[in-house]
């Protein structure tokens, strides 16, 4: 249905309406939809140098390729012009792409940035934002223990300093690793 409306608006010369419709197709969260939209946006972009159209095309291409770096760049661009919802969606997709590529730290950072941007959008719920729901921030205690572990303290030393058992320290560290998408304390120092 969206593509039919796009065809009608293009026939009438209303590129300014067709481009946002194609961008909405990208925002449905399907790579196939993103590829279709990217192809059509590319054809529209041949006849226009509109920055808005170029942004939509970049977003469509990045979604179609699940390119985390390109999605981050598009997200930053959307954010810079005040489009927090589109930025949140791009960062959510970047986080998903980074996670799929095995880049846990990047995924966590992208998902947390997405969640922060989405929070400014008064309860917005879109297909692309569903990826951001996996972002789980560290608790203050997890952050404190991770910081000490990153400084090279052993679990026993951390336990003594914080009046905890070594087992509790290790449990907090395991939770931290899972949230950050890392495998151990050696990656906390990076």
């Amino acid at each position: 249905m969206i593509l039919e409306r796009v065809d009608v608006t293009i026939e009438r010369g209303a590129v300014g309406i067709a481009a946002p419709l194609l961008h909405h197709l990208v925002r449905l969260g399907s790579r196939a939809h993103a590829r279709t939209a990217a192809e059509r946006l590319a054809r529209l972009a041949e006849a226009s140098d509109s920055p808005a159209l170029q942004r939509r095309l970049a977003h469509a291409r990045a979604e179609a390729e699940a390119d985390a770096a390109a999605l981050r760049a598009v997200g930053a661009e959307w954010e810079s012009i005040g489009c927090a919802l589109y930025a949140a969606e791009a960062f959510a997709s970047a986080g998903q792409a980074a996670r799929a590529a095995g880049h846990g730290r990047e995924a966590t950072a992208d998902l947390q940035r997405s969640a922060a941007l989405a929070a400014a959008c008064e309860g917005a719920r879109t297909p692309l934002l569903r990826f951001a729901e996996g972002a789980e921030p560290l608790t203050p205690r997890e952050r404190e223990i991770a910081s000490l572990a990153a400084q090279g303290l052993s679990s026993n030393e951390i336990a003594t300093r914080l009046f905890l058992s070594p087992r509790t320290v290790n449990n907090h560290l395991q939770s931290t690793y899972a949230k950050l998408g890392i495998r151990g304390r050696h990656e906390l120092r990076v």
Side-chain angles (χ1 to χ4, degrees):
M1 179 142 183
I2 290 177
L3 292 176
E4 293 168 3
R5 289 185 185 209
V6 167
D7 291 338
V8 170
T9 57
I10 290 173
E11 286 173 14
R12 294 180 180 168
V15 173
I17 295 171
L21 286 173
L22 288 167
H23 189 236
H24 288 309
L25 190 61
V26 171
R27 297 176 60 226
L28 292 175
S30 159
R31 287 179 72 187
H33 286 131
R35 276 192 287 279
T36 300
E39 290 168 6
R40 296 218 179 178
L41 284 165
R43 287 196 296 264
L44 293 177
E46 290 173 3
S48 173
D49 61 350
S50 163
L53 180 56
Q54 295 301 321
R55 249 187 317 279
R56 288 182 168 95
L57 174 57
H59 193 171
R61 285 180 172 158
E63 290 285 352
E65 298 300 320
D67 182 336
L71 285 161
R72 268 183 223 109
V74 169
E77 194 170 339
W78 283 123
E79 185 178 13
S80 75
I81 63 166
C83 293
L85 181 59
Y86 295 165
E89 290 174 336
F91 282 109
S93 293
Q96 185 70 11
R99 182 178 286 150
H103 301 115
R105 273 190 176 184
E106 292 173 9
T108 298
D110 292 335
L111 292 172
Q112 288 180 346
R113 189 164 180 187
S114 174
L117 287 161
C121 297
E122 299 182 33
R125 308 282 297 164
T126 70
L128 290 178
L129 287 180
R130 76 181 185 275
F131 297 137
E133 293 169 354
E136 196 176 346
L138 296 179
T139 65
R141 180 62 93 182
E142 288 168 340
R143 198 175 359 265
E144 180 180 29
I145 290 172
S147 174
L148 293 171
Q151 294 172 35
L153 275 67
S154 70
S155 293
N156 287 337
E157 291 170 325
I158 296 169
T160 301
R161 183 179 286 193
L162 299 178
F163 304 102
L164 300 170
S165 73
R167 182 181 177 123
T168 299
V169 169
N170 288 330
N171 287 340
H172 280 297
L173 285 172
Q174 288 303 313
S175 177
T176 300
Y177 302 156
K179 288 179 180 181
L180 296 178
I182 61 176
R183 291 179 292 276
R185 71 174 60 221
H186 65 282
E187 291 184 64
L188 288 172
R189 294 184 199 139
V190 178

